[in-house]
Amino acid sequence: MESVSENRYPNIFNADQAGLVNACNLLRSGELVAFPTETVYGLGADATNPKACASIYEAKGRPSFNPLIVHFHDLSEAQKRVVFNTKAEKLAQVFWPGPLTLVLPRTENCDIAELCSAGLPSLAVRVPGHSIAHALLKQSGLPLAAPSANASGKISPTKSEHVAYSLGNKVSCILDGKDTACAVGLESTVIDLTGDIPVLLRPGNITKEEIETVIGSIQLGKSLMESKAEQQVSSETPTTEDTCQTQNPLKSPGLLKSHYAPTLPLRLNATEVAGDEALLAFGNKPLLGSSCCLNLSEEGDLLEAAANLFAALHELDQNQGISGIAVMPIPDTGLGLAINDRLKRAAAPK
Ligand code: TXA
Ligand code: MG
């Protein structure tokens, strides 16, 4: 299997059979593989492997946990992980495979890492149309979590070289889509179908009008309405991930609080723990005194801690007879930034 681009970027590989076999093996062992889709290149990881998903955030250098889109080979694979309603089924029939992402409730036995949902009860799912993405999903047999394959805050990549330039050796393998990749060149349209009225969270190639011809009227997400109002006063803005995030309704503080907070109060940077508190520990010296303790990582490994974070919070939050959750200090470096960002939101007054 040969890398392309005259080895200028040694991690770019042809997406031929040998390249696909190698990519599948890497994904199965928890590594990251960037692959072309019809929208932009995705930074893919086995969505059922929490550590692999955590390494996506690490590679992108994201200071917070945005939820991730999970890509499937076909509709039936997606249906095992999220609950489809009639409107979602209609949209999938018309627009899949293609540049449309549906946000739907996770199924009860959903095997996708909780990190992909960033603590939400929903999951964003998509069946991409590009032949290489399709082949990778089929041959690996894995659902793939994949945000755009660029460092946080940078422009989304539409060529394999863009990925190599932005992420360097943080990605083991970049499958080259050559001239066939990213015909759309813009991230997928994202629509939230978890409520009574569907909400457009991110505009894309599939338009509001096209969607409405299939399922009737939909609403614009709150932040999209805000950005529409802003556009009337400001001129052109560059299309970086940052500007995409201003369109992210999860940024709205009200939504963040109601979506992200556990029911129990959280106490951060705890140096001692009361008997009626649950303990979220980190490192090899967990505080003594709590009857209910989960350790994010005994080795003090931030990747492992990120992988365990949401599942641990959910589990501790379900304890009866506990007054709150005490959280031991987490270093504020690397993935620790995103972990602490999440914990601070969870600890904010409700
Ligand atoms: O075209 C695309 O969608 C590309 C390719 C690789 O598929 N992927 C992509 O992923 O753009 P990303 O992570 O850069 O953007 C995902 C968007 C974010 O705005 C995120 O907030 C939203 O989808 N999202 C993901 N899961 C969500 C959820 N459960 N609820 C609400 N929004 C969600
Ligand atoms: Mg992105």
Side-chain angles (χ1 to χ4, degrees), residues 35-43 60 62 66-71 99-104 116-118 120-126 128 146-150 156 186-190 192 194 201-202 241 244-245 247-250 259-260:
F35 60 94
T37 81
E38 71 278 36
T39 60
V40 298
Y41 275 76
L43 181 62
K60 283 181 68 87
R62 267 191 182 173
N66 255 1
L68 302 173
I69 297 173
V70 179
H71 300 68
L100 181 68
T101 295
L102 309 177
V103 175
L104 289 165
C116 294
S117 296
L120 298 166
S122 60
L123 184 69
V125 297
R126 161 162 127 80
S148 50
N150 51 278
S156 291
L186 237 192
E187 290 96 338
S188 62
T189 306
V190 181
D192 182 348
T194 57
L201 300 183
R202 183 172 73 180
E241 195 163 63
C244 277
Q245 281 176 9
Q247 297 175 347
N248 179 355
L250 297 173
H259 274 151
Y260 276 68

Side-chain angles (χ1 to χ4, degrees), residues 38-188:
E38 71 278 36
T39 60
V40 298
Y41 275 76
L43 181 62
D46 172 1
T48 65
N49 178 338
K51 261 189 152 176
C53 295
S55 67
I56 288 180
Y57 295 94
E58 190 175 51
K60 283 181 68 87
R62 267 191 182 173
S64 61
F65 293 119
N66 255 1
L68 302 173
I69 297 173
V70 179
H71 300 68
F72 297 92
H73 165 247
D74 60 22
L75 173 62
S76 72
E77 288 297 310
Q79 281 171 324
K80 290 180 200 159
R81 277 67 178 220
V82 287
V83 184
F84 276 71
N85 52 37
T86 317
K87 286 179 180 166
E89 266 163 19
K90 280 189 187 162
L91 289 174
Q93 268 155 22
V94 175
F95 296 113
W96 280 1
L100 181 68
T101 295
L102 309 177
V103 175
L104 289 165
R106 293 170 67 103
T107 54
E108 208 165 305
N109 300 318
C110 182
D111 62 355
I112 303 296
E114 292 208 35
L115 198 51
C116 294
S117 296
L120 298 166
S122 60
L123 184 69
V125 297
R126 161 162 127 80
V127 173
H130 191 275
S131 59
I132 297 174
H134 188 79
L136 186 67
L137 288 159
K138 185 159 189 202
Q139 287 197 31
S140 68
L142 297 170
L144 298 179
S148 50
N150 51 278
S152 182
K154 298 287 189 288
I155 296 167
S156 291
T158 51
K159 288 188 189 310
S160 54
E161 289 84 359
H162 297 166
V163 183
Y165 181 72
S166 187
L167 294 175
N169 61 8
K170 291 181 189 136
V171 52
S172 323
C173 165
I174 303 163
L175 288 175
D176 193 7
K178 305 234 163 65
D179 298 338
T180 67
C182 309
V184 174
L186 237 192
E187 290 96 338
S188 62

Side-chain angles (χ1 to χ4, degrees), residues 14 124-125 129 186 203 256 277:
N14 279 322
V125 297
L186 237 192
L256 273 174
E277 280 183 312

